[in-house]
Amino acid sequence: MEQRKLRLACYDRMRVLAIVAIAIGSISDILVTRGAAAGQALKLIWHVANLLSSLVKPAVPLLLMAEGALLLDKPESASLKEVWRHRVLPMLSTLAVWSVIFLVVRYLWQGLVGENVVPLDALLSVVSTPISSHLWLLYLLLAIYLLLPFLRLLVEHAPRNLLRFALGLWLFYSVLIPALSSRSVLPALSLAPYASANPLGGYLGYVLLGWMLATTEWRTKPLYMVITYGALGVLTAIVTALLTKSSGAANMAMYQGFMPNVALMAAAAFMACREFNRETVFTPWIGPMAQFSFGMYILHGLFALLLQPLVFVIPGIISILFAPIVVWLLSLVTVAFMRRSVFARRVFFGDY
């Protein structure tokens, strides 16, 4: 029981860190892309935003790794009935509810954020395209939940060497080849669709990677992992600045979720959270905040959208420092209030 609490405590830390990073990225990404478009690239504010964006890019992979470590460890994950009842159907209803909410908000807010929203077209395309860009994660989680019973059986019965081989294939097809064949490196190395196994991997590899790291006996000092993470983040920012300077426009190739730098940073963050303060089995404020993380992810997109016009009115350095804090706090308070109602938890967050 104590070991179980310990493992849950470290995954709670991952969720809290990830949602903080996502809130920062929602603002810094805007300043990187819009700043470059406005001719502000390579100025001080742009460099600060670029550094912050570079440091927070592993947030979603870290969330997926925590999901894999938790869900693939549960015997009920192999039950198709349990997965459909407690994972797939709640995610479908949550996605439907928030798609409608964001459609209404974007339609009412379109003049201020420079969009032209056609409600009927948006609804017709909702199967393949999220109403709000950040809702892509809900589509991804839905796909992962559909495959969860197969993954659970795989990690339960497959030899460890076979799982390492699967991770190796993922790293080759989904991480290494896309990085080497990018426009900024060697596009001639790009594999044709029929020669690539990337569609079979993608973000699903992070789910398996999380379980593999969670169940490995390898130990390391958290400080080493933090230093590794920081060094890779700074390297990401430097390469992004150099690519942007050479192309004359914002080049965010290094931000992609499958780039080797992002994958290594996500693994370092996972190991740092796992090893940090291993004796701690309960932290009063981390646990509740981790429970809010899913709702905060959804709502941060709403507040980032509503605050977007202000990002370009107030000075850039203030936007970078305070806008993420405002987005994060508004998301936290709103989710905490909504979760007080059983009805709201079920309708808006699929919490059954």
Side-chain angles (χ1 to χ4, degrees):
M1 182 64 178
E2 291 299 309
Q3 181 65 19
R4 181 66 176 169
K5 288 182 178 179
L6 171 62
R7 296 178 69 179
L8 290 176
C10 75
Y11 301 139
D12 285 346
R13 286 195 286 267
M14 295 179 197
R15 288 170 170 167
V16 173
L17 286 174
I19 198 62
V20 171
I22 287 170
I24 294 173
S26 66
I27 303 300
S28 59
D29 283 356
I30 294 174
L31 294 173
V32 169
T33 54
R34 298 286 182 90
Q40 301 297 314
L42 306 181
K43 294 187 177 180
L44 176 61
I45 300 302
W46 187 91
H47 279 299
V48 174
N50 173 39
L51 177 60
L52 288 175
S53 287
S54 299
L55 289 171
V56 302
K57 281 306 157 205
V60 169
L62 182 61
L63 276 179
L64 295 178
M65 292 170 70
E67 283 284 292
L70 283 169
L71 295 180
L72 295 182
D73 193 45
K74 295 180 177 180
E76 56 267 29
S77 294
S79 169
L80 191 59
K81 179 180 179 182
E82 288 295 312
V83 169
W84 270 85
R85 173 186 283 184
H86 298 293
R87 299 288 175 184
V88 175
L89 294 180
M91 184 60 68
L92 279 172
S93 64
T94 302
L95 179 59
V97 168
W98 284 104
S99 293
V100 172
I101 292 174
F102 275 96
L103 175 61
V104 173
V105 171
R106 285 179 56 202
Y107 181 75
L108 297 176
W109 210 250
Q110 58 184 334
L112 292 177
V113 295
E115 290 185 307
N116 182 25
V117 179
V118 180
L120 182 58
D121 291 345
L123 281 176
L124 290 176
S125 64
V126 73
V127 174
S128 60
T129 305
I131 292 294
S132 178
S133 59
H134 81 291
L135 292 181
W136 73 272
L137 184 60
L138 275 64
Y139 288 74
L140 174 60
L141 288 174
L142 180 60
I144 289 173
Y145 292 155
L146 288 169
L147 293 172
L148 190 57
F150 301 100
L151 288 176
R152 167 61 191 179
L153 292 175
L154 178 66
V155 300
E156 185 177 11
H157 298 291
R160 193 87 178 176
N161 285 339
L162 183 60
L163 296 175
R164 293 193 185 99
F165 178 69
L167 274 179
L169 288 178
W170 171 70
L171 289 171
F172 179 79
Y173 282 108
S174 296
V175 177
L176 184 61
I177 289 297
L180 292 176
S181 61
S182 65
R183 288 184 300 173
S184 305
V185 189
L186 292 172
L189 292 179
S190 179
L191 293 175
Y194 51 79
S196 175
N198 186 45
L200 299 176
Y203 281 102
L204 194 63
Y206 282 116
V207 179
L208 181 58
L209 179 60
W211 183 84
M212 290 286 285
L213 290 179
T215 55
T216 184
E217 296 299 323
W218 180 62
R219 301 288 301 274
T220 183
K221 292 185 179 297
L223 180 60
Y224 295 163
M225 295 294 97
V226 172
I227 292 174
T228 300
Y229 186 98
L232 288 169
V234 172
L235 179 63
T236 301
I238 292 173
V239 175
T240 299
L242 292 175
L243 292 175
T244 297
K245 181 178 181 180
S246 64
S247 63
N251 189 317
M252 303 165 74
M254 297 294 289
Y255 288 0
Q256 297 175 35
F258 301 128
M259 294 297 283
N261 55 305
V262 175
L264 288 171
M265 289 172 71
F270 186 96
M271 293 302 295
C273 289
R274 195 192 79 161
E275 297 299 322
F276 175 75
N277 203 6
R278 287 179 66 92
E279 290 71 31
T280 300
V281 296
F282 179 72
T283 306
W285 61 275
I286 290 287
M289 285 182 58
Q291 290 182 343
F292 297 166
S293 60
F294 178 66
M296 290 177 66
Y297 176 83
I298 295 175
L299 281 166
H300 98 276
L302 176 63
F303 292 119
L305 175 67
L306 297 178
L307 293 174
Q308 189 176 128
L310 296 179
V311 172
F312 302 103
V313 174
I314 59 180
I317 193 65
I318 298 178
S319 297
I320 294 174
L321 294 176
F322 294 106
I325 297 175
V326 172
V327 168
W328 186 83
L329 286 176
L330 286 174
S331 302
L332 175 64
V333 171
T334 305
V335 171
F337 177 78
M338 293 176 69
R339 285 184 62 88
R340 292 167 63 93
S341 165
V342 175
F343 174 80
R345 288 205 306 268
R346 291 182 175 180
V347 171
F348 296 107
F349 307 124
D351 191 357
Y352 287 89

